Amino acid sequence: MDINFFRTSFNADPNIGLYGFATEKYCLLGFEPQEKIRKEIEKNLGVKIIFSSVAGTQLSGLFSVGNSNGIIVSKITEKHELENLKNHFENILVLNSDFTCTGNLILVNDKAAIISQHLKKFSKEISDCLGVPVEAGTVAGLEIVGSAAAATNLGCLCHPSASEEEMKKIQEFLKVKVDVGTTNYGSPFVKAGLLANSRGFIASEISSGPELGRIADVFGKQ
C-alpha cells in the first residue's frame, strides 16, 4: 500500500506511542524531539506537532487521547499543562476517573470510539468531547483497548490475540479495515510502537520489515 512512513525512537525508547498520538489535524507529543525528527514526523503525517507534557511527564500518549474533534486527558494533568492545551484545543475533557492511563483505555478515530468498561460511566462525556458514538469493548479480551489496538480513519491494527468477534465489532463501529499485527519487533501492544493517521505512520526503529508491511497494509488506502 502507498503510505508515508518514518522510523525513529524517542529518548532511545522504541515505545514512541507512549509519548504522543496523531490525528488527522494534529500530532501531540510530550516533548520536542530533534528538529530533523520533528520535520520527518510532520512531513509523513501531514500535520503540525503540538508539544505538551501531560500528568507531569513526557508520556502524553499514555495519559491523553484524542481525535480531530477533541482531546481527553487524565485527572492528574497539571494546571499549567491544561492551560497550555487550552491554547490549542476547544474541546478538552479532564476525565475524572481513578484509571488515569487514559490513552490505554480509549480506541478512537473520527468515526467512533471503543472504550474500556472501566470508563463506561463516562460514555456521554467522552462522546460529547470527541463528537463520536461510544461503546465499551475489549481487544484480545483486554480492557486496555487503546494499548492493544491502534486506529486511524482507514484502518485498525489489533493485538494478535484479538478475536474475530472483537475485530468485527471494530470494523463495523469504527468503519475501517481491521487486521492483527505487532510492533517493536514482536510486541502485541501495538499502540506503543506507533503514531499514525490516514496520511502516514511513524514506527519505532526496531520494528521489523514484516511488521512495517502489515502496518502499511492496514493503514494504507485501498
Side-chain angles (χ1 to χ4, degrees):
M1 297 296 177
D2 185 20
I3 186 170
N4 301 319
F5 77 93
F6 174 66
R7 289 201 289 182
T8 190
S9 294
F10 296 152
N11 301 326
D13 185 351
N15 295 300
I16 60 175
L18 299 184
Y19 292 87
F21 63 89
T23 75
E24 299 302 305
K25 291 187 177 179
Y26 62 90
C27 174
L28 180 73
L29 283 183
F31 75 108
E32 188 164 358
Q34 295 176 348
E35 183 178 6
K36 179 181 177 181
I37 294 174
R38 177 182 60 79
K39 287 182 176 180
E40 285 289 347
I41 293 171
E42 291 182 337
K43 181 180 76 172
N44 284 278
L45 298 180
V47 294
K48 290 293 184 182
I49 301 174
I50 295 169
F51 302 105
S52 179
S53 61
V54 179
T57 79
Q58 294 183 345
L59 303 178
S60 298
L62 183 60
F63 295 106
S64 66
V65 67
N67 65 3
S68 296
N69 303 316
I71 183 171
I72 300 174
V73 299
S74 169
K75 70 177 184 180
I76 60 175
T77 301
E78 297 180 0
K79 184 177 179 180
H80 72 93
E81 295 167 335
L82 197 55
E83 290 302 315
N84 178 43
L85 291 169
K86 286 179 179 177
N87 292 325
H88 302 283
F89 301 102
E90 291 184 9
N91 293 329
I92 302 177
L93 171 62
V94 179
L95 198 63
N96 190 29
S97 169
D98 292 336
F99 296 92
T100 56
C101 293
T102 309
N104 283 351
L105 301 174
I106 301 175
L107 175 65
V108 64
N109 63 11
D110 290 342
K111 303 170 186 177
I114 295 175
I115 64 173
S116 165
Q117 289 281 352
H118 297 311
L119 303 182
K120 196 169 182 179
K121 67 179 181 180
F122 303 104
S123 293
K124 186 179 186 306
E125 294 175 63
I126 294 170
S127 178
D128 289 346
C129 176
L130 299 178
V132 295
V134 168
E135 282 190 9
T138 59
V139 177
L142 302 169
E143 293 288 346
I144 48 173
V145 293
S147 175
T152 71
N153 287 350
L154 296 177
C156 182
L157 184 70
C158 293
H159 188 295
S161 297
S163 68
E164 290 294 331
E165 182 180 353
E166 289 170 330
M167 291 195 291
K168 182 178 179 182
K169 178 177 180 177
I170 293 170
Q171 182 177 359
E172 293 176 350
F173 198 54
L174 298 189
K175 297 179 174 60
V176 294
K177 58 181 180 287
V178 182
D179 207 342
V180 297
T182 60
T183 58
N184 286 348
Y185 206 74
S187 171
F189 299 102
V190 296
K191 176 61 170 60
L194 279 173
L195 302 171
N197 63 17
S198 66
R199 299 180 189 90
F201 67 90
I202 312 301
S204 70
E205 287 180 324
I206 67 171
S207 293
S208 68
E211 285 177 328
L212 295 174
R214 178 62 60 88
I215 295 165
D217 284 344
V218 171
F219 292 139
K221 295 180 181 179
Q222 292 282 7

